[in-house]
Amino acid sequence: MENKKFVVLCTVSLTFLLSIATVSAFVEELDDTFKDTRMPDEIWLIQFYAPWCTYCKQLDPVWYEIGAELKSMGSPVNVGKVDATAHTNFAKEFRVGGYPAIKLLKDDLKYNYRGPRTKDGIMEFADRVSGPVVRALPSQQLFQNVMSRHDVLFVYVGGPSDLKEKYISVAKELIVHTYFFSAARNILPKAVTLKEYPAVAVFKDGTYFLYDEQHDGDLASWINSERFLNYLQIDSYTLYEMGDTSKLVALAIVDERNPTEESIRYKTMVERVASEYKDLYSKEFQFGHMDGNEYINGLIMEELAMPSIIVLNVSNDGYFLPPNKVETKEQLVKFIDGVSKGRIKSQGGNGYYQCFIRIAFNTKTTVTNIFTNAPLLGAFLVVVFCGGGSALCYGLCMAWRSMRNTESMRDTEDEEPITGERVEPKQLKGPGEDKKTETKVKNPAEKKAD
């Protein structure tokens, strides 16, 4: 019986190790020779990691799954990873600033992934960027199929033109964020009316909007600002991407792990304002809700009650809080209008003082969480910190003291009398010596004269 258990255990362990080896075989470890050995038409999805990085270690199993799945799908994307601390020139060329960093190399272009570190998110990014920059929709059936799978859809309508060249150029830059399509006029739904032809349209929120150069300005800026739904659930990754849109973000902060009627009412209130006042505020505001207040607490440096309303300026870490509690849709509209017209002043920001205070607040929050969740670990870290700090202070004091002594000795050695003459040491007189007269010692000539 014991032998059977041992055999089963060995079989399971061997199977597990073989599966790991098989999966990891589809991820290549890269080094500084990559630039010389890579073929020009190869597409590479690369993870830059550091051996000490906890997040990198957490990403490893996901990364190996991505490599195996892309290979099984017949994808042209090669998957690799590189130790950025060992191959610094490689990392420097890709402008790696943190770990793990995920980049896709296609032709001579380098694309940076800024989404969540999940298998689905990274796979979708690799599929989008590695494929055609602009994908054709040759039939109404395919158009409807794509519409059902994408919340936001950008479509160029028409043949060759200067607008199409601009569209392709913008697509090369912004394909890291969204897909780009093209279609003939007869492929579009009958409800779509084009004022001009060719045209660029965005389909979202159950309707469509047409790009107007005179009204909307630069095509890239317009696409960048329209690539989100008018109302959506927002997390820290989404907020980071919204920093490029120049829009303010109006949020309902709720606790979805413990939903209440008030939380639902706040979400519904923000969604209604986003829908009913779309024409008035959609150019300036992005609307949504966020689950949890951890990110917001770090931004405003205090505990924000849930549910609450807040408007964020993601581009400079500024924020706006209602002067009074928002209970109705009308009060929310009044608050949004006050922010829009400058009646409500912005708080926070990314100045040096604010950054320092924010770092101090985040440090305090981290230490508090450690002591709350793991008091023994917290006590150990405090002892280590205090011991290290004491040792550092002692070492600095001893070094300063040694340096002062050395300087004092050098000053004594270098000191010389002003006249340049030798100075005889002064002899101390004994008691009563100052009252004695000096005895003159006479030479022989003087004695003979006497």
Side-chain angles (χ1 to χ4, degrees):
M1 186 68 180
E2 294 295 330
N3 291 336
K4 288 184 178 180
K5 289 183 178 180
F6 179 74
V7 171
V8 171
L9 181 61
C10 289
T11 304
V12 171
S13 301
L14 182 60
T15 304
F16 176 72
L17 292 173
L18 287 173
S19 64
I20 292 177
T22 303
V23 170
S24 61
F26 300 113
V27 176
E28 186 173 343
E29 192 76 29
L30 305 176
D31 55 32
D32 289 327
T33 63
F34 172 79
K35 185 176 181 181
D36 300 324
T37 58
R38 172 187 174 249
M39 300 299 291
D41 58 342
E42 285 183 342
I43 302 173
W44 279 90
L45 181 66
I46 305 173
Q47 177 203 164
F48 292 84
Y49 70 92
W52 45 260
C53 172
T54 303
Y55 297 109
C56 302
K57 295 175 182 177
Q58 293 173 351
L59 180 62
D60 266 351
V62 175
W63 199 251
Y64 291 129
E65 287 182 22
I66 291 171
E69 190 158 336
L70 287 174
K71 185 63 67 175
S72 67
M73 293 167 53
S75 170
V77 179
N78 301 285
V79 181
K81 56 187 299 191
V82 58
D83 182 352
T85 62
H87 306 288
T88 54
N89 290 334
F90 195 171
K92 190 174 182 180
E93 182 181 349
F94 279 77
R95 297 182 180 179
V96 174
Y99 309 114
I102 298 174
K103 312 277 185 174
L104 190 139
L105 179 61
K106 178 183 177 183
D107 299 327
D108 293 328
L109 299 175
K110 303 176 182 70
Y111 297 94
N112 184 29
Y113 177 68
R114 301 193 298 182
R117 271 45 173 173
T118 61
K119 177 183 173 182
D120 291 341
I122 298 171
M123 290 276 292
E124 197 266 350
F125 165 78
D127 175 71
R128 181 173 67 247
V129 180
S130 64
V133 175
V134 177
R135 306 179 185 220
L137 300 175
S139 67
Q140 292 182 352
Q141 182 180 1
L142 184 58
F143 183 91
Q144 293 298 332
N145 180 265
V146 170
M147 279 277 292
S148 65
R149 292 189 291 112
H150 296 274
D151 293 327
V152 180
L153 192 69
F154 289 98
V155 181
Y156 170 81
V157 186
S161 66
D162 291 340
L163 180 60
K164 185 175 183 178
E165 294 302 317
K166 290 181 183 178
Y167 183 75
I168 294 173
S169 177
V170 172
K172 288 180 180 179
E173 177 187 352
L174 298 181
I175 198 170
V176 292
H177 301 304
T178 187
Y179 286 90
F180 291 85
F181 298 91
S182 65
R185 193 169 189 172
N186 62 333
I187 301 300
L188 302 181
K190 294 181 180 179
V192 177
T193 302
L194 298 180
K195 297 178 181 179
E196 296 181 357
Y197 185 82
V200 176
V202 57
F203 295 83
K204 66 175 187 176
D205 297 318
T207 184
Y208 68 95
F209 304 93
L210 299 175
Y211 167 66
D212 183 347
E213 185 174 5
Q214 292 184 348
H215 181 263
D216 299 315
D218 180 59
L219 178 61
S221 300
W222 178 77
I223 290 177
N224 206 24
S225 65
E226 295 291 342
R227 59 188 175 90
F228 296 101
L229 293 172
N230 197 35
Y231 178 90
L232 72 161
Q233 181 171 354
I234 296 173
D235 56 20
S236 57
Y237 288 105
T238 312
L239 273 179
Y240 181 71
E241 290 194 0
M242 286 179 175
D244 299 331
T245 66
S246 72
K247 287 186 178 183
L248 300 175
V249 184
L251 286 172
I253 308 301
V254 298
D255 185 1
E256 295 199 321
R257 290 166 291 185
N258 302 294
T260 62
E261 290 185 4
E262 191 176 16
S263 295
I264 296 172
R265 183 169 61 85
Y266 268 63
K267 288 168 59 178
T268 304
M269 183 167 56
V270 175
E271 188 171 8
R272 285 186 61 189
V273 170
S275 175
E276 296 175 14
Y277 293 83
K278 182 187 303 182
D279 295 338
L280 184 60
Y281 295 129
S282 63
K283 298 293 183 184
E284 187 179 359
F285 290 89
Q286 176 69 52
F287 295 88
H289 71 271
M290 175 176 281
D291 178 21
N293 60 358
E294 293 85 0
Y295 179 87
I296 302 300
N297 291 345
L299 180 67
I300 69 175
M301 294 170 287
E302 63 180 76
E303 186 82 14
L304 183 69
M306 294 188 290
S308 290
I309 300 294
I310 189 172
V311 172
L312 304 179
N313 186 342
V314 188
S315 63
N316 67 358
D317 291 335
Y319 61 92
F320 303 82
L321 290 172
N324 302 301
K325 188 173 178 63
V326 176
E327 296 284 355
T328 65
K329 183 187 73 172
E330 289 72 22
Q331 291 174 338
L332 177 58
V333 171
K334 183 178 179 181
F335 169 56
I336 296 293
D337 194 65
V339 172
S340 175
K341 295 180 179 177
R343 294 194 299 268
I344 298 178
K345 293 184 178 180
S346 174
Q347 303 179 53
N350 54 6
Y352 292 115
Y353 176 75
Q354 289 293 332
C355 289
F356 175 78
I357 296 298
R358 193 169 289 120
I359 290 172
F361 176 84
N362 290 335
T363 303
K364 174 187 172 184
T365 303
T366 301
V367 172
T368 303
N369 289 336
I370 290 175
F371 273 97
T372 301
N373 300 320
L376 292 178
L377 175 61
F380 173 75
L381 292 176
V382 168
V383 170
V384 171
F385 177 79
C386 292
S390 300
L392 178 63
C393 291
Y394 177 78
L396 291 175
C397 290
M398 293 301 294
W400 179 81
R401 187 174 180 180
S402 175
M403 183 177 65
R404 292 284 296 175
N405 290 339
T406 303
E407 290 178 352
S408 178
M409 292 176 63
R410 287 176 180 172
D411 291 342
T412 303
E413 292 174 356
D414 294 341
E415 192 175 89
E416 294 183 355
I418 298 175
T419 60
E421 298 177 354
R422 181 177 178 179
V423 179
E424 297 291 344
K426 184 178 181 181
Q427 296 184 0
L428 298 177
K429 297 179 180 180
E433 287 185 0
D434 55 340
K435 296 179 181 180
K436 295 180 181 179
T437 59
E438 290 184 349
T439 303
K440 186 176 181 181
V441 180
K442 297 180 179 181
N443 56 39
E446 289 177 330
K447 288 181 179 180
K448 187 174 182 181
D450 291 339

